[in-house]
Amino acid sequence: MEFVSANPTGPLHVGHGRGAAFGASLANVLAAAGFNVSREFYVNDAGRQMDILTLSTWLRYLEMNDIHIPFPQNAYQGEYVKTMAQLIYEAHAQRYRHHPDLLLGDLPESAREKAIDTDEQLDKLIANAKKILGEDYAYIHNFVLTEQLGDCRNDLMEFGVEFDVWFSEQSLFDNGLVARAIELLQSKHYLYQQDGATWFRSTDFGDEKDRVVQRENGQFTYFASDIAYHLNKFERGFDQVINIWGADHHGYIPRVKGALQALGLDPAKLEIALVQFAVLYRDGKKAPMSTRSGEFVTLRELREEVGKDAARFFYVVRKSDQHLDFDLDLAKSKSNENPVYYVQYAHARICSVLAQWGGDFVDLMQLTHANTEELSNPGELALLQKLIDYPDIVEMAAKEFSPHIIAFYLRELAGEFHSYYNSTRFLVPEISVQHARLALIASIHQVLNNGLNLLGVSAPDKM
RNA sequence: GUGCCCGUAGCUCAAUCGGAUAGAGCACCAGCCUUCUAAGCUGGGGGUUACAGGUUCGAUUCCUGUCGGGCACGCCA
């Protein structure tokens, strides 16, 4: 199962957060349903975006060396770029300082005063930077990649999202897998040349148009490495391959499945779950979101503002293919308005009761032999039924890729418990009744714990 | 313009992939703490499921159209 797979070109933002929360929860649910799940993050460390980040960082570094070139509008504007430049400066001082004439050589004179804003000019700057820096370019490239990836990994870890495999796109090129995938398609006659580029006949498999795999300039497209990546996934022997993508990539599905089919693989083994965008609202207003301009709320800021538990719960409480309005003010309110506390509170209450009962582990074992005949009122019977439902709920959530079903279930279970709590005393003198009721709430405690765990939400003993 | 997704209570969303009186939370109104945690409980109002047709014993669900919103339509990733 592959998810997040954000470009390591800047901090994760709240949009990535949803994919992370959904993917991690779904992986947990699938594992709980009995599947052997491998969690994978595909690292786009080979593309042009990394070059732009490298250039951006170097330009910021030059500024620190009193070399001022108008910062390109389509470069990475974020403060974190300056931070990385600062780190390089502190470690290597003026080592990467070069005269601006070399960099601006073949650009229009106006580029000295006014920031450039076209892709062509940006690519020229990148090409020049590679020429001027030589070996040093690779150092900066590697430095910013390591920085961003480390930051990303750390960020996700603190969000309770961990991966078994971090798969490098660059490794596909280094190991010749891209070349092999392309040759394979070639040998099956699914490729052709036109306008100097190499095209894949994706229209043979229902796509709207054929797609370029190798550009006129010799560069492979992202699609090319993606074909190699998916071929590699299948060759690793997974029974089922699951991708979680942002909904803006939905147009990408036919070409990837088409490529698999062309390679003689079963496209039905690849399931793609689309996650819609999350839109943040603060004070009733939309919060701005744009990676390139540096104007976005980061996942880290979100976690600091609303806390991990509320963030994880809010992200998965909606069906993933629905747009999500994320109300920051609601998520961070620590009152009855906030649904995450409702479930956690039920758990904490049970812990409190069990603590006051004071039994130890041996006593708890006795509870499992409690006389359940004592549980007879409608609330108790409803709770028993609810607990019995849990395995089916997990199975359904797994089958439909819908962790939100777990969230709804937990809220219902917590609701029935709270109601029970208010109507019935547990620590009553009659031992037979007491043990039966304690056995019931201990079971609820267990299921709440399991369910919250699947969602990546903590189950506190005290609140 | 073409394709995909969506439209359910004032707000945010469910509805076991065609079943019985469409359910929760928030907000609003009225009650409940000398008893295991009031981040809780009890009760109440709130709907022509965007609209118009069609299929069906039965439609929020399936089909067609209209209106409204999102996304995608690069030799970008």
Side-chain angles (χ1 to χ4, degrees):
Chain A
M1 183 168 153
E2 179 215 329
F3 57 109
V4 187
S5 299
N7 273 343
T9 52
L12 296 170
H13 54 66
V14 294
H16 298 124
R18 190 178 190 189
F22 174 75
S25 297
L26 178 57
N28 290 343
V29 167
L30 290 170
F35 293 100
N36 185 7
V37 183
S38 180
R39 300 156 172 86
E40 187 151 321
F41 187 117
Y42 182 57
V43 183
N44 293 119
D45 52 2
R48 177 168 174 267
Q49 295 306 319
M50 277 308 301
D51 281 328
I52 298 174
L53 181 67
T54 305
L55 174 74
S56 304
T57 306
W58 186 46
L59 289 176
R60 291 306 192 195
Y61 164 89
L62 290 178
E63 286 173 7
M64 287 167 194
N65 286 278
D66 278 323
I67 292 177
H68 295 275
I69 295 161
F71 198 77
Q73 291 183 29
N74 44 359
Y76 287 100
Q77 307 282 342
E79 283 299 311
Y80 63 92
V81 178
K82 293 179 186 170
T83 305
M84 289 193 295
Q86 183 69 36
L87 288 172
I88 293 173
Y89 182 70
E90 282 166 12
H92 303 281
Q94 302 196 343
R95 170 170 177 170
Y96 308 114
R97 191 177 190 275
H98 290 271
H99 199 279
D101 286 353
L102 294 168
L103 186 55
L104 293 171
D106 49 355
L107 274 89
E109 195 60 30
S110 62
R112 290 173 185 275
E113 277 84 43
K114 192 166 159 287
I116 61 163
D117 59 358
T118 68
D119 283 346
E120 293 73 18
Q121 291 174 329
L122 193 63
D123 283 338
K124 271 186 184 172
L125 278 185
I126 290 169
N128 292 345
K130 285 181 177 173
K131 217 177 299 168
I132 297 164
L133 285 163
E135 300 269 307
D136 287 343
Y137 182 89
Y139 168 79
I140 298 175
H141 185 282
N142 189 53
F143 177 83
V144 298
L145 172 65
T146 307
E147 276 299 304
Q148 290 309 311
L149 213 51
D151 180 70
C152 175
R153 188 192 301 244
N154 187 48
D155 197 6
L156 288 169
M157 205 168 66
E158 288 174 8
F159 197 40
V161 177
E162 300 197 44
F163 292 88
D164 301 300
V165 178
W166 293 74
F167 196 99
S168 157
E169 179 188 7
Q170 184 63 47
S171 75
L172 292 169
F173 290 99
D174 296 344
N175 298 332
L177 296 182
V178 175
R180 190 165 67 83
I182 297 303
E183 279 163 22
L184 215 53
L185 287 175
Q186 184 78 269
S187 70
K188 293 170 184 281
H189 309 292
Y190 285 117
L191 300 182
Y192 64 91
Q193 305 291 317
Q194 188 181 306
D195 304 327
T198 306
W199 298 71
F200 168 62
R201 287 186 204 281
S202 48
T203 46
D204 283 7
F205 307 97
D207 200 6
E208 293 170 356
K209 55 173 290 193
D210 293 339
R211 309 291 176 176
V212 171
V213 291
Q214 189 170 19
R215 295 198 263 159
E216 190 179 6
N217 64 11
Q219 289 275 317
F220 286 102
T221 60
Y222 180 91
F223 179 43
S225 40
D226 235 15
I227 294 171
Y229 178 44
H230 284 85
L231 173 60
N232 173 266
K233 281 190 196 180
F234 275 70
E235 287 182 339
R236 276 186 274 158
F238 293 109
D239 297 313
Q240 188 73 42
V241 175
I242 301 170
N243 291 357
I244 293 171
W245 285 352
D248 54 330
H249 285 69
H250 72 259
Y252 212 75
I253 296 173
R255 80 190 70 167
V256 172
K257 291 208 170 205
L260 290 177
Q261 210 175 329
L263 290 168
L265 302 165
D266 179 9
K269 277 189 170 183
L270 171 66
E271 273 202 76
I272 297 172
L274 297 177
V275 177
Q276 290 284 353
F277 286 135
V279 181
L280 273 193
Y281 285 85
R282 191 195 299 278
D283 303 323
K285 283 179 64 182
K286 226 181 211 183
M289 283 260 283
S290 164
T291 311
R292 192 64 62 78
S293 70
E295 240 195 322
F296 53 81
V297 179
T298 64
L299 177 60
R300 186 168 273 119
E301 285 164 352
L302 177 74
R303 288 193 291 105
E304 284 165 0
E305 192 167 339
V306 313
K308 178 198 130 188
D309 288 340
R312 287 289 301 259
F313 193 85
F314 265 64
Y315 272 130
V316 297
V317 82
R318 306 283 173 245
K319 259 194 319 204
S320 60
D321 59 356
Q322 292 280 11
H323 288 105
L324 171 66
D325 287 338
F326 198 118
D327 186 337
L328 276 174
D329 303 305
L330 179 63
K332 75 180 166 186
S333 77
K334 56 182 212 39
S335 69
N336 54 345
E337 290 178 11
N338 198 327
V340 70
Y341 297 118
Y342 187 79
V343 178
Q344 291 181 316
Y345 187 51
H347 181 269
R349 267 183 155 174
I350 296 172
C351 288
S352 178
V353 174
L354 292 175
Q356 285 175 54
W357 168 56
D360 59 17
F361 182 72
V362 176
D363 297 325
L364 199 62
M365 293 306 287
Q366 285 174 0
L367 285 184
T368 66
H369 298 99
N371 179 14
T372 50
E373 297 291 320
E374 300 284 5
L375 302 174
S376 56
N377 74 49
E380 287 164 341
L381 296 178
L383 276 164
L384 287 170
Q385 183 58 54
K386 203 78 191 165
L387 290 174
I388 290 169
D389 288 343
Y390 183 66
D392 293 338
I393 292 292
V394 172
E395 199 175 315
M396 194 188 305
K399 194 176 149 200
E400 298 184 14
F401 289 6
S402 297
H404 79 275
I405 292 175
I406 304 285
F408 276 88
Y409 169 83
L410 290 176
R411 203 157 62 185
E412 284 167 14
L413 177 61
E416 288 183 21
F417 166 75
H418 283 310
S419 182
Y420 182 47
Y421 180 93
N422 273 274
S423 67
T424 312
R425 276 191 72 77
F426 310 136
L427 298 173
V428 292
E430 302 88 344
I431 293 301
S432 175
V433 176
Q434 186 198 86
H435 279 189
R437 290 179 180 169
L438 288 176
L440 175 58
I441 66 169
S443 304
I444 296 168
H445 168 270
Q446 183 66 59
V447 171
L448 288 175
N449 207 338
N450 292 354
L452 286 172
N453 227 319
L454 295 182
L455 301 184
V457 177
S458 72
D461 292 351
K462 285 182 186 166
M463 287 175 74

